[in-house]
Amino acid sequence: MSNQEVVVLSVGGVRYVTRASTLQQFPESRLARMLNRDDWEFKLVNGEFFVDRDGALFSYILDFLRTLQVSLPTDFSDYQRLRREAEFYGLHPLADLLSQEHLLKPRLEILEVRFSLQEMQAFFRVFGSCSTTVEALAEQITVFTGQQSGQSWSSPFASQKTLVPIPLERPSHHDMVFQCGTEYSAGDQFVARYVSIKPDNRKLINGTNVLGLLFDTLLKDGFRLISARTVASEEKVECYSFERMKRPAGLTVTVNQTPGSTGVAQARRGQMQKGK
């Protein structure tokens, strides 16, 4: 059978269409042997290979053959059943990856925003359980500073005067600190700090407006607000907690064909590197 041919399978009554070359990724698997008609479990009926197995789980089997990667939905729970299906089809590298269930399960990610208002200034501290999320958020946030006259400091948006970006404070890889608003400088002048959060290009000086934009940014990134509380009433420090389910890095295998071999695929287990 040519590698370019289309193959139709009916797995538990669910119909799948793929290429022969996809099923031959692992030559010693039962799916590859099926194409040679030497496996009695697969019946050829009206041009379609029929097998009495779980039709829904086969979608993950086929996805693995196409991508050589295991990437499952966040609500997936049938790890043992899928591993059993992988063993049935003779896909031992997939079964091996599925045995690392702790690496495939989604993890809960927590992010906390502390916010306080003191006179004409607002202070923010963001802490996250995932350092890469905090790093990505820090790249979106820019603080600008500049001198403002006493007649213009109360404007919620930046004036036409030149503003200079300043770096955020990063006490650790898991948190960042920044502020907005104004503080008295000298005479009729104030030092003003504006905050911009990409992709929004506005420069905001009002702390409540910045908090709202930060909330909107987190919600669009898949977080949900789970609690809001006052942690220091004297200093008016409010704490907002967010959470989201973070999809784990996909586990992959690399298939190598060794010279002079009989076409047996050798698998090497690996994990796509992402931030912890």
Side-chain angles (χ1 to χ4, degrees):
M1 178 174 284
S2 169
N3 286 350
Q4 301 303 315
E5 288 190 57
V6 172
V7 180
V8 180
L9 300 95
S10 177
V11 184
V14 182
R15 192 170 183 265
Y16 292 93
V17 180
T18 187
R19 302 175 76 112
S21 57
T22 299
L23 301 176
Q24 293 171 329
Q25 284 279 15
F26 297 90
E28 288 194 336
S29 71
R30 297 184 72 176
L31 288 169
R33 297 201 308 269
M34 170 193 75
L35 300 180
N36 298 323
R37 315 281 182 87
D38 61 357
D39 193 316
W40 62 270
E41 193 77 39
F42 298 86
K43 306 296 184 182
L44 189 61
V45 180
N46 297 325
E48 299 183 4
F49 287 98
F50 174 79
V51 59
D52 189 18
R53 301 295 296 187
D54 192 302
L57 290 180
F58 188 75
S59 65
Y60 303 113
I61 300 288
L62 192 55
D63 181 67
F64 171 75
L65 291 173
R66 288 168 172 163
T67 65
L68 297 182
Q69 183 179 39
V70 182
S71 182
L72 301 172
T74 55
D75 59 349
F76 186 82
S77 60
D78 289 335
Y79 294 94
Q80 292 185 353
R81 290 181 59 211
L82 183 56
R83 183 183 180 186
R84 187 166 62 242
E85 293 300 295
E87 291 172 344
F88 168 81
Y89 291 111
L91 296 171
H92 303 297
L94 173 58
D96 184 41
L97 294 182
L98 289 168
S99 68
Q100 303 178 78
E101 185 176 332
H102 63 289
L103 295 177
L104 291 167
K105 285 186 174 180
R107 291 172 290 180
L108 184 65
E109 183 178 354
I110 301 296
L111 191 139
E112 182 181 275
V113 176
R114 294 202 173 199
F115 170 72
S116 66
L117 286 172
Q118 298 178 20
E119 297 182 349
M120 296 182 295
Q121 299 182 80
F123 298 86
F124 295 82
R125 182 162 192 156
V126 180
F127 175 85
S129 60
C130 177
S131 62
T132 54
T133 296
V134 177
E135 185 67 33
L137 186 60
E139 292 179 358
Q140 292 179 259
I141 299 174
T142 305
V143 177
F144 297 88
T145 186
Q147 293 285 335
Q148 297 286 338
S149 69
Q151 298 171 345
S152 63
W153 72 266
S154 60
S155 173
F157 302 103
S159 69
Q160 298 301 316
K161 293 186 178 181
T162 302
L163 297 177
V164 178
I166 58 175
L168 302 180
E169 294 182 47
R170 297 294 308 277
S172 75
H173 292 298
H174 287 271
D175 61 347
M176 60 180 164
V177 177
F178 61 94
Q179 67 187 83
C180 65
T182 59
E183 58 182 330
Y184 180 74
S185 176
D188 193 35
Q189 296 294 310
F190 289 80
V191 175
R193 289 185 177 87
Y194 295 84
V195 173
S196 175
I197 306 178
K198 298 177 182 176
D200 194 301
N201 58 10
R202 293 175 297 169
K203 297 180 179 66
L204 305 177
I205 196 173
N206 182 283
T208 303
N209 291 344
V210 173
L211 183 65
L213 181 57
L214 180 58
F215 276 25
D216 186 57
T217 301
L218 294 175
L219 294 174
K220 288 180 179 178
D221 197 30
F223 283 95
R224 67 184 186 95
L225 180 65
I226 58 173
S227 70
R229 66 188 189 278
T230 301
V231 294
S233 56
E234 298 81 6
E235 299 177 357
K236 299 180 181 179
V237 178
E238 299 171 357
C239 179
Y240 302 90
S241 298
F242 296 81
E243 70 175 18
R244 72 173 175 183
M245 294 301 292
K246 185 180 181 183
R247 184 186 298 274
L251 296 182
T252 64
V253 296
T254 302
V255 179
N256 297 321
Q257 296 290 345
T258 58
S261 70
T262 59
V264 175
Q266 298 184 357
R268 184 174 70 250
R269 185 174 60 206
Q271 183 177 9
M272 294 178 63
Q273 295 299 317
K274 293 187 178 180
K276 296 181 179 180

